[in-house]
């Protein structure tokens, strides 16, 4: 690989590990299970601990297999550095642990992954004030900003109702105000969209989903895009200011969240995620094509009351999705006509599997209000546009005709 040449998305992933020497000419970075790392010269050990020399010290703070994955994700997002975590939630939790303090304020999209919504409630209990706004219009974000606002948090395409945040204009707002802009890119993945393009400072990816892609490993990551000026962030501790300012944020996250809270990604999971990521573009092409075909078929059927998919012209943010994303993603949701019971419908599916994950190679379905959004209650569900009969579909890579026939036949 020629470092000065710009390669395509998949070429870059496939040849990422080889940019550094790999033991014995391995093509995969090996799974390093050692918890600790020896230094023959103890002065070097001290230099590594003091951050004067790169190197590994203890597996909780870093591991060579995980570091190879971190580099891959940095390349995917065209960022400057990435930190991996045990899960996507550990990555989002790291933002709260490492970057926020009591008295701080956060503006968050109200259309959120359920556990992130719950995390903001936890943060509120710890003195961090969170305003939840309809982020499909930048005006609502702007109106919520206060002098104590430390960051704005949005998802690209919200799960399960597929609202698309006003990504570009929120980026401009955050840039003008010097506020950290955090974008959870899980629903689009770096193949369909790079949040750096709209000014994000930090990018979250739940690696569990499209990047690993096979439902066989959990993981999460935070990527610094290099766009945010950390000297404008009031919560950087003096000890991390010994690094160059572009490194302040990630230095503090690695120490205050990964080291102190320990939600570290294991090397075996990092290997699964790295292998899965090699076919991400191929999988997503099929997934997105299947999702569009399924959404079109369901929308045309009068037994279906509503279909939510950004690829449909009827979707309120179809325009911005067309402008910003390479394709419209593998996630859609729909409501059946009132006389069709959603549980009976799901039970009639032969290929759609009733379960909670998404971004798998297989098509997964779930009755949202009765499962993942049950705990929040009917009022909050209604405010998020979640109908009691809503079915979420994470579309897989099955042969298109098989999938369409399964969802059509189950209608009765
Ligand atoms: C799944 C998901 C997460 C959390 O990831 P886990 O690996 O399950 O912890 C965060 N954000 C979004 C948008 C997700 O879909």
């Amino acid at each position: 690989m020629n470092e000065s040449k710009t390669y395509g998305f998949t070429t870059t992933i496939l040849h990422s590990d080889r940019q550094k020497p790999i033991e014995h000419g391995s093509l995969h970075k090996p799974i390093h299970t050692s918890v600790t790392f020896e230094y023959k010269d103890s002065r070097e050990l001290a230099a590594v601990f003091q951050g004067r020399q790169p190197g590994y010290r203890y597996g909780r703070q870093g591991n060579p297999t995980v570091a190879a994955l971190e580099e891959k994700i940095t390349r995917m997002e065209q960022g400057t550095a990435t930190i991996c975590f045990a899960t996507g939630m550990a990555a989002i939790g790291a933002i709260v642990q490492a970057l926020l303090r009591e008295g701080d304020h956060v503006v968050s999209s109200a259309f959120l992954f359920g556990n992130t919504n719950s995390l903001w409630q936890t943060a509120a209990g710890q003195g961090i004030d969170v305003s939840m706004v309809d982020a499909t219009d930048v005006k609502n974000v702007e109106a919520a900003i206060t002098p104590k606002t430390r960051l704005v948090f949005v998802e690209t395409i919200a799960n399960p109702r597929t609202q698309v945040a006003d990504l570009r204009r929120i980026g401009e707002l955050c840039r003008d105000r010097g506020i950290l802009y955090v974008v959870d890119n899980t629903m689009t993945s770096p193949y369909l969209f790079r949040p750096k393009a709209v000014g994000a400072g930090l990018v979250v990816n739940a690696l569990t989903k499209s990047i690993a892609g096979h439902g066989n490993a959990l993981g999460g990551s935070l990527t610094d895009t290099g766009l945010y000026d950390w000297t404008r962030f009031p919560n950087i501790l003096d000890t991390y200011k010994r690094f160059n300012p572009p490194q302040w944020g990630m230095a503090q996250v690695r120490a205050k969240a990964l080291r102190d809270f320990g939600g570290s990604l294991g090397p075996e999971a990092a290997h699964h995620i790295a292998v899965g990521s090699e076919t991400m573009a191929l999988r997503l092409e099929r997934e997105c094509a299947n999702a569009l075909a399924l959404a079109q078929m369901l929308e045309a059927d009068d037994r279906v009351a509503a279909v939510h998919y950004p690829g449909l012209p009827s979707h309120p943010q179809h325009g911005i999705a067309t402008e910003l994303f390479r394709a419209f993603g593998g996630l859609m949701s729909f409501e059946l006509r009132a006389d069709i019971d959603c549980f009976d419908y799901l039970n009639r599916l032969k290929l759609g599997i009733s379960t909670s994950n998404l971004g798998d190679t297989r098509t997964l379905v779930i009755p949202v209000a009765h499962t993942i959004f049950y705990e929040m209650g009917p009022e909050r569900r209604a405010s998020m546009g979640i109908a009691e009969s809503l079915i979420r579909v994470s579309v897989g890579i099955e042969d298109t005709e098989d999938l369409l026939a399964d969802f059509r036949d189950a209608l009765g």
Side-chain angles (χ1 to χ4, degrees):
M1 193 160 157
N2 175 352
E3 271 292 336
S4 61
K5 186 174 178 342
T6 335
Y7 290 98
F9 188 84
T10 297
T11 311
T12 303
I13 294 175
L14 292 174
H15 294 273
S16 173
D17 289 359
R18 293 174 57 242
Q19 301 315 298
K20 294 201 170 136
I22 312 184
E23 301 86 311
H24 311 295
S26 274
L27 294 188
H28 291 281
K29 185 70 183 169
I31 302 175
H32 286 274
T33 57
S34 188
V35 166
T36 194
F37 303 86
E38 178 185 2
Y39 291 87
K40 301 283 187 206
D41 176 352
S42 57
R43 285 193 183 84
E44 250 188 82
L45 176 65
V48 169
F49 261 77
Q50 293 166 19
R52 290 185 284 114
Q53 180 183 316
Y56 301 98
R57 23 182 170 161
Y58 185 67
R60 187 170 1 90
Q61 283 110 291
N63 165 288
T65 313
V66 175
L69 176 64
E70 288 172 342
E71 247 172 74
K72 266 194 194 99
I73 297 163
T74 298
R75 290 178 205 274
M76 290 178 203
E77 292 288 2
Q78 292 180 350
T80 55
T82 297
I83 301 176
C84 282
F85 296 87
T87 64
M89 285 317 300
I92 302 171
I95 296 170
V96 179
Q97 290 154 356
L99 299 177
L100 296 174
R101 294 184 193 163
E102 189 178 355
D104 284 346
H105 177 246
V106 170
V107 180
S108 170
S109 167
F111 310 127
L112 279 183
F113 179 63
N115 300 152
T116 307
N117 177 69
S118 171
L119 173 69
W120 290 138
Q121 287 171 16
T122 305
Q126 296 169 354
I128 296 163
D129 183 24
V130 184
S131 301
M132 308 286 268
V133 302
D134 176 347
T136 59
D137 187 338
V138 68
K139 285 197 204 80
N140 302 319
V141 176
E142 187 165 19
I145 286 176
T146 77
K148 293 189 165 170
T149 304
R150 296 290 168 258
L151 61 90
V152 171
F153 184 98
V154 301
E155 296 179 3
T156 51
I157 302 175
N159 158 17
R161 269 292 313 275
T162 73
Q163 298 96 334
V164 179
D166 198 354
L167 291 159
R168 191 184 296 286
R169 292 199 292 166
I170 298 172
E172 288 162 3
L173 173 69
C174 289
R175 187 198 56 209
D176 292 348
R177 304 291 184 88
I179 295 172
L180 178 61
Y181 184 24
V182 184
V183 177
D184 183 336
N185 196 27
T186 303
M187 281 305 128
T188 25
S189 89
Y191 179 62
L192 301 184
F193 175 62
R194 284 196 181 98
K196 185 180 179 181
V198 293
L202 278 184
V203 181
V204 175
N205 277 291
L207 307 175
T208 314
K209 314 292 171 53
S210 301
I211 294 182
H214 298 73
N216 63 349
L218 289 156
S221 65
L222 290 183
T223 299
D224 188 330
T225 63
L227 293 182
Y228 185 67
D229 175 5
W230 290 102
T231 64
R232 296 186 74 170
F233 198 73
N235 294 350
I236 298 293
L237 301 164
D238 284 342
T239 180
Y240 305 109
K241 292 185 180 167
R242 69 182 191 276
F243 300 106
N244 293 328
Q247 297 171 302
W248 288 2
M250 293 309 252
Q252 182 156 317
V253 170
R254 195 174 279 281
K256 289 288 133 188
L258 196 64
R259 185 193 67 198
D260 294 2
F261 283 83
S264 319
L265 182 66
E268 292 89 351
H271 173 75
H272 279 303
I273 294 164
V275 173
S277 75
E278 295 182 358
T279 54
M280 178 172 28
L282 305 178
R283 286 184 280 105
L284 281 168
E285 292 287 347
R286 173 72 82 96
E287 255 175 56
C288 295
N290 276 354
L292 183 61
L294 185 59
Q296 286 167 340
M297 182 193 83
L298 291 172
E299 191 176 48
D301 197 304
D302 60 12
R303 292 165 293 187
V304 176
V307 182
H308 311 290
Y309 185 64
L312 296 174
S314 58
H315 189 284
Q317 291 93 39
H318 178 65
I320 180 176
T322 306
E323 177 202 337
L324 293 179
F325 307 149
R326 190 195 292 256
F328 302 102
L331 186 98
M332 53 169 289
S333 55
F334 66 99
E335 296 156 35
L336 293 164
R337 209 171 55 193
D339 60 319
I340 308 174
D341 181 88
C342 72
F343 292 103
D344 290 340
Y345 177 80
L346 293 178
N347 290 343
R348 285 194 292 271
L349 291 174
K350 303 277 189 295
L351 298 178
I353 304 168
S354 287
T355 187
S356 70
N357 190 23
L358 47 91
D360 198 308
T361 41
R362 297 157 193 79
T363 295
L364 313 178
V365 291
I366 194 160
V368 175
H370 309 277
T371 55
I372 46 175
F373 281 52
Y374 179 73
E375 193 180 297
M376 64 179 59
E379 251 173 57
R380 175 97 173 92
R381 277 200 295 275
S383 77
M384 294 172 85
I386 311 289
E388 296 300 294
S389 69
L390 190 74
I391 292 171
R392 182 186 78 187
V393 189
S394 167
V395 180
I397 61 170
E398 289 91 349
D399 295 284
T400 312
E401 279 316 310
D402 293 338
L403 203 60
L404 296 188
D406 196 40
F407 279 76
R408 187 172 48 228
D409 294 351
L411 285 168

